[in-house]
Amino acid sequence: MPLETVKLTASFRLNGSIPEGLFSTYKEVLDQLLDFACAKGITGFKRLKAEKYHELRARYPRLPSHYIYTACQMACSIYKSFRKLKRKGLARAEKPVFKKQVVMLDDHLFSLNPEGWEASIAVEGGRVKLKLLHGAYHEKFKEMKIGQAWLVKSEDFYLKVVFSKVVEVAMDGKAVAVDVNENNVAFGTLERVENKETRERAIRTAYFLKRRRLQSKPRLNEKQLMAKYKGRERRRVEAIYHRIAKEVVAKAKEIGASTIVMEDLGKIRRKHKKGKSKAINGRLNRWSFRKFQNIVDYKARLAGLNVKYIEADYTSSLCPVCGERLSPNGYRQMKCPGCGLEEDRDVIAVKNLLRRYQMDVGASSVHPEGPSMTTERDEKYERGRDES
Ligand SMILES: [Zn+2]
């Protein structure tokens, strides 16, 4: 079976603080590197390091030297993306400005003990040891390889770490399609589709009412209470997503599937155009649907499954058997005037996703330009993977 490296980024809140000086010194170093890179048009790490390292080392003798390396890396990538924007006419400024409080770490600058969830971070004049605040969902990282990391300062201090794992990727198996809706998730194969209720709308409505009650009376700690409810709402919905995503992946493994098929959400607006929800709800749904898909995506990839996104306009309005336009047939039921099929609309959506997926796979293997098309798609997909 082919091997593939799956990368995931985890974010941990730090139980404690990083000396303020590290962020301000790093920013000074980064700004000088950015100015220099920009003035000389340098996009390569090696050249930037060769030209500026000794000067910066002498100017900041207390800063651990690898911070200058990582600042060179950051400066190159910031300048490169700035130059790209500039060429497209999307950047008005003369030179790139980086305002965030971010410090990049390499393996000399930090180490992580996943057993005790403790990080050791190099700072000016020594190292600090800090506990990482973590949740049950961080458990999976214990068996993964630790890559580079970033320290981020916002209201608290965060450590973002890239973890990777090599998995065997399943080939040529069946596909399981997943259709996500406001209140349920349907998933399965052409033979069998399961329907799981999320009750997300009920949860969101309850929290919406709770927040409105809160706003009706003036309170001193209103802001904190609102944030607390927001957090609870998010965690409740996400816990449901994780549970269902786990079931989807377990099902796929159980039946020997190699691929999870989901809808490309770029097109979701069309699907819900006729819904009663207002624009704001539409945005919320898209956010929720994507969040759920992201959870399925990484759980599937860690389990060695492929993930494909299908552009699926009209997934629930065309017949998965004959392609005829379906008519409503009572509550959530649809009927085909062509072949007489009667089915739940979520089941139809799942079957349509599978049919589109099979059509795509079939088309690329028989079409004369097939192989190159497939490669292109796969490359795009690989790039997407690395970025996540
Ligand atoms: Zn039909």
Side-chain angles (χ1 to χ4, degrees), residues 19-26 28-29 53-68 108-109 121-128:
E20 183 58 42
L22 179 64
F23 284 92
S24 50
T25 309
Y26 194 81
E28 278 180 41
V29 171
Y53 178 77
H54 291 289
E55 175 196 331
L56 290 166
R57 189 81 192 98
R59 196 172 300 157
Y60 301 96
R62 291 187 70 236
L63 186 71
S65 63
H66 273 253
Y67 279 118
I68 298 171
H108 292 260
L109 297 170
I121 297 160
V123 295
E124 289 168 300
R127 286 181 94 89
V128 289

Side-chain angles (χ1 to χ4, degrees), residues 253-270:
K253 296 299 274 184
E254 182 194 319
I255 65 166
S258 65
T259 306
I260 300 273
V261 180
M262 292 190 280
E263 182 177 356
D264 183 345
L265 289 180
K267 300 279 173 173
I268 204 157
R269 210 187 313 238
R270 211 169 298 174

Side-chain angles (χ1 to χ4, degrees), residues 19 42 62 65 70 120 156 188 210 227 254 257 282 287 292 295 330 351 382:
I42 301 173
R62 291 187 70 236
S65 63
T70 67
S120 162
D156 293 294
K210 224 175 236 186
E254 182 194 319
W287 179 85
F292 176 71
I295 295 171
K351 290 188 174 174
E382 292 305 329

